[in-house]
């Protein structure tokens, strides 16, 4: 007998808040300021995610504070939230997503979008900022950049440096706080949550 996975878009919106560095803590009123849901709906979603083992909570004074429970199950739910963020990005910035989609074959390994597009502050003049934790074909990227008349800036690190830099490197910390994982999201999520 199969069980239905009861996840709504509001679940994904709330889980997306916890992807901003994966070490965030939120209380219910704070979540309601970021996600347009009622206090009761937010509480039901948070309780549901806590019962499933995705979130955990502690009482601080009179407030209940929620954070990610860093487990394998949590990783699966966070990967759903990361896919949701990528989908919302592709809907909000369809041309930019098409540009990125055209250059994806040029990359081997994990790839992240950061900067103004991941912060939803992009304008028509914004550059595309990428963090690559692998190799890429610069010629292919430059060709797409010229064709679409957009600057594509790539910061390249090794996988080991990305994992070591999570807590120390300013750029990597910035990427983890505001990102869209484009390739190999498991690398980024599992690398932090382990």
């Amino acid at each position: 007998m199969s069980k239905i996975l009861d996840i709504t878009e509001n679940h994904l919106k709330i889980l997306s808040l916890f992807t901003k560095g994966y070490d965030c803590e939120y209380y219910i009123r704070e979540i309601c300021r970021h996600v347009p849901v009622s206090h009761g709906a937010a509480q039901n979603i948070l309780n549901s995610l806590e019962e499933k083992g995705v979130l955990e909570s502690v009482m601080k004074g009179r407030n209940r504070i929620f954070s990610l429970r860093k487990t394998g199950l949590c990783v699966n739910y966070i990967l759903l939230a990361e896919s949701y963020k990528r989908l919302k990005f592709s809907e909000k910035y369809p041309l930019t997503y098409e540009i990125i989609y055209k250059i994806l074959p040029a990359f081997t390994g994990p790839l992240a979008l950061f900067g103004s597009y991941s912060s939803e502050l992009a304008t028509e003049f914004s550059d595309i900022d990428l963090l690559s934790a692998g190799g890429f074909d610069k010629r292919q990227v430059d060709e797409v950049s010229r064709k679409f008349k957009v600057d594509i800036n790539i910061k390249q690190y090794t996988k080991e440096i990305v994992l070591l830099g999570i807590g120390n490197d300013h750029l990597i910390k910035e990427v983890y706080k505001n990102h869209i994982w484009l390739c190999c999201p498991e690398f980024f999520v599992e690398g932090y949550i382990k």
Side-chain angles (χ1 to χ4, degrees):
M1 184 160 109
S2 66
K3 186 176 176 183
I4 294 173
L5 187 63
D6 59 341
I7 295 182
T8 66
E9 188 168 4
N10 284 336
H11 282 81
L12 295 172
K13 287 178 182 176
I14 288 173
L15 278 171
S16 292
L17 289 175
F18 291 94
T19 67
K20 295 181 182 290
Y22 304 117
D23 56 358
C24 301
E25 296 180 328
Y26 294 100
Y27 55 93
I28 294 172
R29 277 194 317 269
E30 194 175 13
I31 286 172
C32 291
R33 275 195 304 244
H34 294 288
V35 179
V37 295
S38 69
H39 186 276
Q43 187 162 7
N44 288 339
I45 290 169
L46 291 166
N47 289 340
S48 165
L49 291 170
E50 187 172 27
E51 286 172 14
K52 290 178 183 190
V54 178
L55 298 178
E56 57 190 3
S57 68
V58 295
M59 292 299 292
K60 288 191 181 174
R62 294 173 37 163
N63 292 316
R64 195 163 151 211
I65 308 291
F66 291 87
S67 60
L68 290 177
R69 176 177 274 155
K70 296 182 176 167
T71 64
L73 178 65
C74 175
V75 167
N76 289 331
Y77 276 84
I78 290 302
L79 287 170
L80 279 175
E82 294 290 0
S83 292
Y84 173 75
K85 284 172 41 181
R86 189 173 54 247
L87 177 62
K88 295 307 286 181
F89 163 74
S90 69
E91 289 176 348
K92 184 169 182 165
Y93 301 108
L95 177 60
T96 303
Y97 188 75
E98 283 306 310
I99 294 168
I100 290 170
Y101 190 74
K102 289 189 182 308
I103 64 170
L104 285 181
F107 289 87
T108 58
L111 183 66
L113 174 72
F114 68 98
S116 59
Y117 281 105
S118 64
S119 303
E120 297 185 7
L121 300 172
T123 68
E124 61 183 287
F125 305 109
S126 293
D127 296 348
I128 297 173
D129 298 309
L130 301 171
L131 173 100
S132 171
F136 68 96
D137 182 339
K138 184 173 177 1
R139 188 179 43 78
Q140 225 177 327
V141 173
D142 289 344
E143 185 178 307
V144 172
S145 176
R146 277 191 304 280
K147 179 179 178 184
F148 287 94
K149 296 179 175 71
V150 63
D151 287 333
I152 301 172
N153 304 308
I154 303 166
K155 301 295 183 189
Q156 187 178 22
Y157 289 88
T158 64
K159 289 180 180 180
E160 295 76 23
I161 290 176
V162 170
L163 295 177
L164 288 172
I166 288 172
N168 306 318
D169 185 276
H170 177 69
L171 177 65
I172 294 172
K173 285 195 305 194
E174 177 190 332
V175 171
Y176 266 89
K177 288 207 182 293
N178 249 325
H179 59 266
I180 305 291
W181 303 140
L182 299 170
C183 291
C184 308
E186 302 85 5
F187 166 79
F188 294 105
V189 175
E190 291 172 356
Y192 189 88
I193 292 184
K194 279 186 179 178

